[in-house]
PDB file of all heavy atoms in Angstrom:
ATOM      1  N   ARG C  23      51.247-107.698 246.512  1.00 78.00           N
ATOM      2  CA  ARG C  23      49.995-107.139 245.990  1.00 78.00           C
ATOM      3  C   ARG C  23      49.792-105.714 246.500  1.00 78.00           C
ATOM      4  O   ARG C  23      49.364-104.836 245.756  1.00 78.00           O
ATOM      5  CB  ARG C  23      48.806-108.018 246.355  1.00 78.00           C
ATOM      6  CG  ARG C  23      47.601-107.654 245.532  1.00 78.00           C
ATOM      7  CD  ARG C  23      46.480-108.643 245.544  1.00 78.00           C
ATOM      8  NE  ARG C  23      46.915-110.007 245.574  1.00 78.00           N
ATOM      9  CZ  ARG C  23      46.283-110.965 246.248  1.00 78.00           C
ATOM     10  NH1 ARG C  23      45.202-110.689 246.924  1.00 78.00           N
ATOM     11  NH2 ARG C  23      46.720-112.199 246.228  1.00 78.00           N
ATOM     12  N   ASP C  24      50.100-105.475 247.771  1.00 85.00           N
ATOM     13  CA  ASP C  24      49.964-104.115 248.318  1.00 85.00           C
ATOM     14  C   ASP C  24      50.872-103.127 247.589  1.00 85.00           C
ATOM     15  O   ASP C  24      50.460-102.020 247.248  1.00 85.00           O
ATOM     16  CB  ASP C  24      50.287-104.086 249.819  1.00 85.00           C
ATOM     17  CG  ASP C  24      49.215-104.751 250.666  1.00 85.00           C
ATOM     18  OD1 ASP C  24      48.098-104.990 250.157  1.00 85.00           O
ATOM     19  OD2 ASP C  24      49.507-105.041 251.846  1.00 85.00           O
ATOM     20  N   LYS C  25      52.117-103.538 247.340  1.00 86.00           N
ATOM     21  CA  LYS C  25      53.081-102.674 246.644  1.00 86.00           C
ATOM     22  C   LYS C  25      52.597-102.389 245.218  1.00 86.00           C
ATOM     23  O   LYS C  25      52.661-101.260 244.737  1.00 86.00           O
ATOM     24  CB  LYS C  25      54.458-103.339 246.633  1.00 86.00           C
ATOM     25  CG  LYS C  25      55.559-102.517 246.033  1.00 86.00           C
ATOM     26  CD  LYS C  25      56.004-101.447 246.989  1.00 86.00           C
ATOM     27  CE  LYS C  25      57.297-100.827 246.507  1.00 86.00           C
ATOM     28  NZ  LYS C  25      57.718 -99.746 247.360  1.00 86.00           N
ATOM     29  N   ILE C  26      52.118-103.429 244.538  1.00 88.00           N
ATOM     30  CA  ILE C  26      51.633-103.278 243.168  1.00 88.00           C
ATOM     31  C   ILE C  26      50.417-102.351 243.130  1.00 88.00           C
ATOM     32  O   ILE C  26      50.351-101.438 242.299  1.00 88.00           O
ATOM     33  CB  ILE C  26      51.283-104.647 242.547  1.00 88.00           C
ATOM     34  CG1 ILE C  26      52.573-105.456 242.326  1.00 88.00           C
ATOM     35  CG2 ILE C  26      50.524-104.490 241.239  1.00 88.00           C
ATOM     36  CD1 ILE C  26      52.336-106.914 241.997  1.00 88.00           C
ATOM     37  N   THR C  27      49.457-102.573 244.038  1.00 86.00           N
ATOM     38  CA  THR C  27      48.248-101.742 244.023  1.00 86.00           C
ATOM     39  C   THR C  27      48.541-100.316 244.468  1.00 86.00           C
ATOM     40  O   THR C  27      47.778 -99.402 244.151  1.00 86.00           O
ATOM     41  CB  THR C  27      47.114-102.354 244.869  1.00 86.00           C
ATOM     42  OG1 THR C  27      47.574-102.588 246.195  1.00 86.00           O
ATOM     43  CG2 THR C  27      46.623-103.650 244.265  1.00 86.00           C
ATOM     44  N   GLU C  28      49.645-100.107 245.167  1.00 87.00           N
ATOM     45  CA  GLU C  28      50.071 -98.741 245.521  1.00 87.00           C
ATOM     46  C   GLU C  28      50.665 -98.036 244.302  1.00 87.00           C
ATOM     47  O   GLU C  28      50.407 -96.860 244.055  1.00 87.00           O
ATOM     48  CB  GLU C  28      51.111 -98.798 246.641  1.00 87.00           C
ATOM     49  CG  GLU C  28      51.779 -97.471 246.933  1.00 87.00           C
ATOM     50  CD  GLU C  28      53.060 -97.622 247.763  1.00 87.00           C
ATOM     51  OE1 GLU C  28      53.186 -98.593 248.526  1.00 87.00           O
ATOM     52  OE2 GLU C  28      53.927 -96.742 247.636  1.00 87.00           O
ATOM     53  N   LEU C  29      51.473 -98.760 243.518  1.00 89.00           N
ATOM     54  CA  LEU C  29      52.203 -98.134 242.414  1.00 89.00           C
ATOM     55  C   LEU C  29      51.409 -98.033 241.110  1.00 89.00           C
ATOM     56  O   LEU C  29      51.544 -97.040 240.388  1.00 89.00           O
ATOM     57  CB  LEU C  29      53.505 -98.906 242.151  1.00 89.00           C
ATOM     58  CG  LEU C  29      54.565 -98.811 243.238  1.00 89.00           C
ATOM     59  CD1 LEU C  29      55.744 -99.746 242.934  1.00 89.00           C
ATOM     60  CD2 LEU C  29      55.057 -97.390 243.414  1.00 89.00           C
ATOM     61  N   LEU C  30      50.598 -99.033 240.782  1.00 88.00           N
ATOM     62  CA  LEU C  30      49.914 -99.033 239.484  1.00 88.00           C
ATOM     63  C   LEU C  30      49.073 -97.787 239.219  1.00 88.00           C
ATOM     64  O   LEU C  30      49.132 -97.232 238.115  1.00 88.00           O
ATOM     65  CB  LEU C  30      49.057-100.294 239.313  1.00 88.00           C
ATOM     66  CG  LEU C  30      49.795-101.549 238.888  1.00 88.00           C
ATOM     67  CD1 LEU C  30      48.829-102.724 238.752  1.00 88.00           C
ATOM     68  CD2 LEU C  30      50.574-101.360 237.593  1.00 88.00           C
ATOM     69  N   PRO C  31      48.283 -97.298 240.182  1.00 87.00           N
ATOM     70  CA  PRO C  31      47.470 -96.108 239.870  1.00 87.00           C
ATOM     71  C   PRO C  31      48.305 -94.874 239.537  1.00 87.00           C
ATOM     72  O   PRO C  31      47.796 -93.937 238.932  1.00 87.00           O
ATOM     73  CB  PRO C  31      46.670 -95.870 241.162  1.00 87.00           C
ATOM     74  CG  PRO C  31      46.731 -97.142 241.912  1.00 87.00           C
ATOM     75  CD  PRO C  31      48.005 -97.821 241.511  1.00 87.00           C
ATOM     76  N   LYS C  32      49.569 -94.874 239.900  1.00 88.00           N
ATOM     77  CA  LYS C  32      50.440 -93.729 239.629  1.00 88.00           C
ATOM     78  C   LYS C  32      51.071 -93.801 238.238  1.00 88.00           C
ATOM     79  O   LYS C  32      51.766 -92.878 237.831  1.00 88.00           O
ATOM     80  CB  LYS C  32      51.548 -93.659 240.691  1.00 88.00           C
ATOM     81  CG  LYS C  32      51.004 -93.452 242.094  1.00 88.00           C
ATOM     82  CD  LYS C  32      52.104 -93.537 243.122  1.00 88.00           C
ATOM     83  CE  LYS C  32      51.533 -93.439 244.535  1.00 88.00           C
ATOM     84  NZ  LYS C  32      52.557 -93.639 245.557  1.00 88.00           N
ATOM     85  N   THR C  33      50.846 -94.895 237.518  1.00 90.00           N
ATOM     86  CA  THR C  33      51.444 -95.064 236.195  1.00 90.00           C
ATOM     87  C   THR C  33      50.491 -94.591 235.112  1.00 90.00           C
ATOM     88  O   THR C  33      49.263 -94.642 235.283  1.00 90.00           O
ATOM     89  CB  THR C  33      51.805 -96.545 235.914  1.00 90.00           C
ATOM     90  OG1 THR C  33      50.600 -97.309 235.790  1.00 90.00           O
ATOM     91  CG2 THR C  33      52.683 -97.124 237.019  1.00 90.00           C
ATOM     92  N   SER C  34      51.040 -94.151 233.995  1.00 88.00           N
ATOM     93  CA  SER C  34      50.195 -93.716 232.882  1.00 88.00           C
ATOM     94  C   SER C  34      49.405 -94.898 232.312  1.00 88.00           C
ATOM     95  O   SER C  34      48.290 -94.716 231.808  1.00 88.00           O
ATOM     96  CB  SER C  34      51.034 -93.063 231.792  1.00 88.00           C
ATOM     97  OG  SER C  34      51.997 -93.961 231.288  1.00 88.00           O
ATOM     98  N   LEU C  35      49.933 -96.105 232.410  1.00 88.00           N
ATOM     99  CA  LEU C  35      49.240 -97.291 231.886  1.00 88.00           C
ATOM    100  C   LEU C  35      47.893 -97.491 232.575  1.00 88.00           C
ATOM    101  O   LEU C  35      46.958 -97.991 231.967  1.00 88.00           O
ATOM    102  CB  LEU C  35      50.117 -98.543 232.071  1.00 88.00           C
ATOM    103  CG  LEU C  35      49.537 -99.858 231.575  1.00 88.00           C
ATOM    104  CD1 LEU C  35      49.274 -99.829 230.074  1.00 88.00           C
ATOM    105  CD2 LEU C  35      50.466-101.009 231.924  1.00 88.00           C
ATOM    106  N   PHE C  36      47.797 -97.086 233.834  1.00 90.00           N
ATOM    107  CA  PHE C  36      46.572 -97.328 234.597  1.00 90.00           C
ATOM    108  C   PHE C  36      45.757 -96.066 234.847  1.00 90.00           C
ATOM    109  O   PHE C  36      44.921 -96.039 235.740  1.00 90.00           O
ATOM    110  CB  PHE C  36      46.901 -98.075 235.889  1.00 90.00           C
ATOM    111  CG  PHE C  36      47.073 -99.542 235.633  1.00 90.00           C
ATOM    112  CD1 PHE C  36      48.276-100.031 235.144  1.00 90.00           C
ATOM    113  CD2 PHE C  36      46.024-100.425 235.816  1.00 90.00           C
ATOM    114  CE1 PHE C  36      48.432-101.368 234.859  1.00 90.00           C
ATOM    115  CE2 PHE C  36      46.174-101.773 235.522  1.00 90.00           C
ATOM    116  CZ  PHE C  36      47.370-102.248 235.057  1.00 90.00           C
ATOM    117  N   GLY C  37      45.961 -95.036 234.013  1.00 89.00           N
ATOM    118  CA  GLY C  37      45.127 -93.842 234.100  1.00 89.00           C
ATOM    119  C   GLY C  37      43.673 -94.201 233.817  1.00 89.00           C
ATOM    120  O   GLY C  37      43.368 -94.895 232.858  1.00 89.00           O
ATOM    121  N   GLY C  38      42.769 -93.755 234.678  1.00 90.00           N
ATOM    122  CA  GLY C  38      41.343 -93.993 234.475  1.00 90.00           C
ATOM    123  C   GLY C  38      40.872 -95.390 234.856  1.00 90.00           C
ATOM    124  O   GLY C  38      39.722 -95.750 234.613  1.00 90.00           O
ATOM    125  N   VAL C  39      41.756 -96.187 235.456  1.00 92.00           N
ATOM    126  CA  VAL C  39      41.396 -97.549 235.859  1.00 92.00           C
ATOM    127  C   VAL C  39      41.018 -97.516 237.334  1.00 92.00           C
ATOM    128  O   VAL C  39      41.732 -96.931 238.151  1.00 92.00           O
ATOM    129  CB  VAL C  39      42.583 -98.517 235.616  1.00 92.00           C
ATOM    130  CG1 VAL C  39      42.270 -99.911 236.108  1.00 92.00           C
ATOM    131  CG2 VAL C  39      42.943 -98.533 234.127  1.00 92.00           C
ATOM    132  N   ASP C  40      39.883 -98.135 237.680  1.00 91.00           N
ATOM    133  CA  ASP C  40      39.426 -98.072 239.072  1.00 91.00           C
ATOM    134  C   ASP C  40      40.139 -99.093 239.961  1.00 91.00           C
ATOM    135  O   ASP C  40      40.828 -99.993 239.466  1.00 91.00           O
ATOM    136  CB  ASP C  40      37.906 -98.183 239.176  1.00 91.00           C
ATOM    137  CG  ASP C  40      37.351 -99.544 238.776  1.00 91.00           C
ATOM    138  OD1 ASP C  40      37.933-100.583 239.160  1.00 91.00           O
ATOM    139  OD2 ASP C  40      36.309 -99.566 238.091  1.00 91.00           O
ATOM    140  N   SER C  41      39.975 -98.931 241.265  1.00 90.00           N
ATOM    141  CA  SER C  41      40.720 -99.748 242.232  1.00 90.00           C
ATOM    142  C   SER C  41      40.363-101.229 242.155  1.00 90.00           C
ATOM    143  O   SER C  41      41.233-102.078 242.364  1.00 90.00           O
ATOM    144  CB  SER C  41      40.511 -99.229 243.648  1.00 90.00           C
ATOM    145  OG  SER C  41      39.140 -99.238 243.982  1.00 90.00           O
ATOM    146  N   GLU C  42      39.128-101.573 241.836  1.00 91.00           N
ATOM    147  CA  GLU C  42      38.758-102.986 241.692  1.00 91.00           C
ATOM    148  C   GLU C  42      39.495-103.616 240.511  1.00 91.00           C
ATOM    149  O   GLU C  42      39.954-104.747 240.592  1.00 91.00           O
ATOM    150  CB  GLU C  42      37.249-103.128 241.521  1.00 91.00           C
ATOM    151  CG  GLU C  42      36.471-102.892 242.792  1.00 91.00           C
ATOM    152  CD  GLU C  42      34.970-103.027 242.591  1.00 91.00           C
ATOM    153  OE1 GLU C  42      34.533-103.648 241.586  1.00 91.00           O
ATOM    154  OE2 GLU C  42      34.228-102.507 243.435  1.00 91.00           O
TER     155      GLU C  42
END
Side-chain angles (χ1 to χ4, degrees):
R23 195 166 323 144
D24 288 345
K25 184 77 168 177
I26 291 168
T27 55
E28 171 196 333
L29 292 173
L30 279 180
K32 298 174 184 175
T33 68
S34 60
L35 180 62
F36 279 81
V39 176
D40 67 43
S41 59
E42 286 180 19

